[in-house]
Amino acid sequence: MNTRQDSKDAGSTEQDFLPCLDRRRFLVVGGAGAVTILLGELFPGRVFAQDERRRASVATYPRRKVGSLRDLELHKPVTFYYPYDEPHCSSMLVRLGTAAGGGVGPGQDIVAFSQMCTHQGGLLEGQYQSEYRVLGPCPLHLSTFDLTRHGMIVAAHATENLPQIVLELEGDNIYATGVLGLIYGYSDNRAGH
Amino acid sequence: MADQYVPTDRIPLPPPDAKVYTTACDYCIVGCGYKAYVWPDGKEGGPRAHENALGINFPVPTLSGRWVSPNQHNFCLVNGKKHHVIVKPDADATVVNRGGNHSIRGGCIAQKVYNPDGPTRDRLQRPLLRVRGKLVPVSWDVALGIMADVSKHVLKNHGEAAWGMKTYSYQYFENTYAISKLAFESIQTPAYAPHDKPGPGNDTAGVDDAGIVTFSASNEDWELADVIFISGTDPFETKTVLFTDWMLKGHPNKIIMALPRKSGGAVYAERNGGLFLPVIPGSDAILHLALIRLILENGWEDKEFIEKWIANRWEIDSGFGRGTRNTPWQWRTTWGKLGASYEEYRKWILSYPLAELSKATEMTGIPAEKIRAAAEMIAKPVGGKRPKTSFAFEKGNYWSNNYLNTSSYAVLGLMCGAGNRPGQVISRLGGHQRGWYGAASYPRMFSPQKFPGRRKQEIDLDRWVESGNLRFAYVIGTTWVQAMAASHELADSLRRLTRGNKHQITSLDVSKAARTLKDRVDDGGMVIVHQDIYLRKPIAGEFADLVLPASTWGECDLTRCNGERRLRLYSKFCDPPGEAQPDWWIISQFAQKMGFKDYDWKDSNDVFEKAARSGRKGVLNYHPLVVYAKRLGMRAHELLREMGTRGIQTPVRYRSRITEPRDYQEYVGYYVDPRTSGGIVGTKRLHDHDTDFGDPEGPTVHQKWLSAFKTQSGKALLNKTPWELFSDFYERIQPKGDELWVTNGRINEIWQSLFDDARKPYIMQRWPDNWLEIHPDDAKARGIESGDRVRVESGDVLIQTGGFVGVDGDDLSYTGLKKAGHIRIGKGAFEAVAMVTDAVRSGVVWTNFLYVGVDIGSTANSLVHRVPDPMTNRYRFKLAKGRVHKIGESPYKHSFEKMTFAPRTIKGTVT
């Protein structure tokens, strides 16, 4: 099973990081589907052996460039929108400086997550805590998520992991290819399609 | 469970014609309002508002209260057919969880639902009898027949006190009414203990002695307070929505937390103008005394309130404050030992050396400037105006030094003018919801225990068992062994008395089976019946001869109150598994086999209506609701159902004309039907002198505590708390050498013994094992890193073996018991995953209090001394000690999937 869905229309300019309603139609062109796969396949060589058999349901979307190795600074999160250019899809790309589940890059430390708190939809933008590699506390009710552990809740109220954006590295380019978990607000990640 | 957490990217939405039921969360005291949406499999709603029962377009906005997370969806059975079920917070709620807020516990409660294809598939489905060591299915008739046969034999040959019950005290009025009717009215056994203590009676005796009903406040009071002092609990972790929706909504208020461990809420308090007071385990009373003394020295006490509401010497003496015949602890409140007028108290504390700031700093480990700052914050008038300060407390306070902590805390609150006014309350925050409805009083006069003097004391059931006096135990819905003190030693006793006895059932022949069990009890052994929703170990898995399957929340219409006395109907919306039945039904069938009368209840509503008469004098009185419903020709449950998730705050009052303001009615709940006269209305706050409750009309009862304190004079009582009542025990249990204090508590993600959480893969990825928080210095000295597996053990666990009867004054003190040879020394141990953090001070480790899960679990309480507070019969669960050493690495040290070691203390400010 392969999660990668090569897409002819994958954006690759800096503009892709910004919400741009005019570009939405362009970005969602192409197929989207959901597959259930093992973590070991989803993140080959990027999870501990004992975690490889864990299953995950991942929606795949048009592959899209979200950053580059060269430009991504340690502990400097970059906001992008994925899989759609709409507020619920606010996501962040960050280099943690320590290996993380599903991380890409030479240090396996580059990860991306939804920035919508899975408790009540609080926006987690700007809440990255570099010392602990967590996102949060959420400004609404203080939920906090561990970015080294697939967005697992550290403390508080959220009832799902923070959806992890599946990343792939091709040369210097970092691509988003899927979403692990339901994004806050949606009943179906593919509904925005 | 093997089931894994699988993040999913879509959930089925309820179609517009899905059935909607109101309920409340089954878990913590806050009792948030919830709705269950149920519809047949094979159908789904759509993302447009008109296509779904939530009536909203997806994607939904932030704070809509209408997002359905995957953990809020499950499958269930309705009349045997597969249905979808979504259980989510009530977005329309205007009380408790206004707008649909929730904790992680309630937010995942859909995963509790019985789903034969999911992780809850191992629910108990049929009665089981242990034959040749294996549990085999039998019919209800056979199971209850054997149970009744053996029970009759025990009662006839060994007496009522040999037949005991150990049950939850909280799991819905209908069930607890049946439990108390059986135990206290029909059998009249003194051998009864609730789930979390060795015997019945008061949890927080010192606060009660002051005349304060421990659940007198409303959520609103925490919002109205300028300052909230919180002792022995972090509501962010344990009473989530009370904290996020009420305490934080009152900001900019200031929060002070006195805890041995810096929790998330404590960090929040510190960062937002409040204080964290890192108290050394067991020293809270000293902190309270120091604060009281500072307040008095500076003249910050609320003189006007004290003048009006604190009992003077004459009022104390006229019936020892609570009435000559109504003081169960005569030796405590008489003879002028503790009770004091304001002047007497002032004189005592100003000359009491242990209340001096320097002494308090030494004993509590809290810097003097922090204690001083706390005293100022709670009591010093600013610009001529007193701060409105409220006082909250919970188990960290009353499960360490029960009487002295609660009693001194009441004085602290009263000196600040708290106890009976909006935003100025003294109240427990609570653990479980208020689900006890007593059909009869505990028969204290039959108890084998007695205080010095002539007062009887409630039983210590664990000690009663270990002394070989209990021959039959009917255990309902509690993990008896791990939940109690010195739990390994208790397990050994129960094993010896049950499996260790030579009389074991070897055939399915019913009469032979009963004969075998009778032979066992006559031989000094014991028979255990365990009734629960899962096969709990070891109580059911190993010790019980009969295991009875109970139904639970969502499987029967049930009722109870939350921490602000808010009564709601918890609707049935799905089938129970197999032949499982509600606890009240099982008790009714058993009682009828015993030949007891008045157990022929038709349904849970029938129990609810009958129970109402027993509670008329109590704080949870809903009798006027039943009377009003009858007038309308309605079932009481149906009237309550119409009141939805708002329900009604008890005591319920009937009024021919409701004069309470509209906003009061909207908060407390009311019901008015023009088909009959008047209406019923709830009660927001107790001891509330400023609200006009009108005259008691019709079925309404006005107790003194409605508008005054619960004492003879209606005024609150101050009690002195001489440290000598505790110091002999406290000195004995101090950690020595490389021992550390081992204290415990709770967190958001885990509910009690994890009986449900163990079936929630989402929770189990976070907490696959128990953990131990240890200071970096203590960890380094033992070569421990986060993620290492550690063992905590003690060979110095104190266990009280006798001392059922006190004669002279100090007979039951620790020194007296020791002298009389009533203390033996046992051992305990548990394992956990280390988490190195400075949230705990050096010298103190902290662990989850009852990490059980599907197996025996991590038995932290095995280290807890089984010597209850002699004044109140309460264990000091928070005051264990032990040695910690590394035994290897846990698998979580190298996993991205399970457990995180990120600190829980990262907190900011809510916006």
Side-chain angles (χ1 to χ4, degrees), chain B residues 257-274:
Chain B
M257 287 194 196
L259 300 166
R261 159 184 177 255
K262 192 181 247 189
S263 58
V267 175
Y268 179 88
E270 265 190 330
R271 292 224 180 138
N272 293 277

Side-chain angles (χ1 to χ4, degrees), chain A residues 76-81 87-94 112-130 133-147 150-164 182-184, chain B residues 62 67 762 906-911:
Chain A
K76 293 273 170 63
V78 177
T79 291
F80 66 98
Y81 288 77
H88 286 88
C89 297
S90 174
S91 305
M92 57 96 79
L93 176 74
V94 65
F113 286 90
S114 163
Q115 291 193 121
M116 298 290 282
C117 179
T118 44
H119 176 228
Q120 296 253 67
L123 187 60
L124 295 163
E125 189 169 16
Q127 302 294 330
Y128 173 66
Q129 313 276 336
S130 58
R133 283 90 179 169
V134 299
L135 192 56
C138 176
L140 293 184
H141 307 98
L142 309 171
S143 287
T144 308
F145 304 88
D146 187 340
L147 302 188
H150 303 290
M152 183 190 294
I153 186 88
V154 174
H157 331 295
T159 58
E160 292 289 331
N161 284 8
L162 204 56
Q164 184 168 15
L182 184 64
I183 296 166
Y184 174 85
Chain B
T62 294
W67 186 55
Y762 173 68
I906 312 161
K907 287 291 164 284
T909 303
V910 292
T911 51

Side-chain angles (χ1 to χ4, degrees), chain B residues 604-681:
Chain B
S604 62
N605 177 69
D606 195 13
V607 190
F608 180 70
E609 291 185 359
K610 289 210 165 69
R613 285 175 296 182
S614 303
R616 278 178 290 187
K617 289 182 184 169
V619 168
L620 306 181
N621 176 20
Y622 62 85
H623 182 245
L625 180 148
V626 175
V627 173
Y628 198 73
K630 282 210 169 120
R631 272 207 223 155
L632 292 167
M634 290 172 78
R635 289 153 56 91
H637 267 180
E638 294 315 311
L639 191 148
L640 194 53
R641 193 192 304 279
E642 287 196 15
M643 301 176 87
T645 58
R646 177 162 62 191
I648 187 165
Q649 282 183 283
T650 64
V652 174
R653 294 172 294 123
Y654 168 79
R655 300 205 64 188
S656 57
R657 195 171 67 83
I658 298 175
T659 58
E660 283 80 353
R662 195 70 201 169
D663 60 341
Y664 186 99
Q665 294 181 44
E666 296 285 344
Y667 186 91
V668 300
Y670 61 96
Y671 196 92
V672 178
D673 190 313
R675 287 178 294 161
T676 186
S677 64
I680 51 169
V681 64

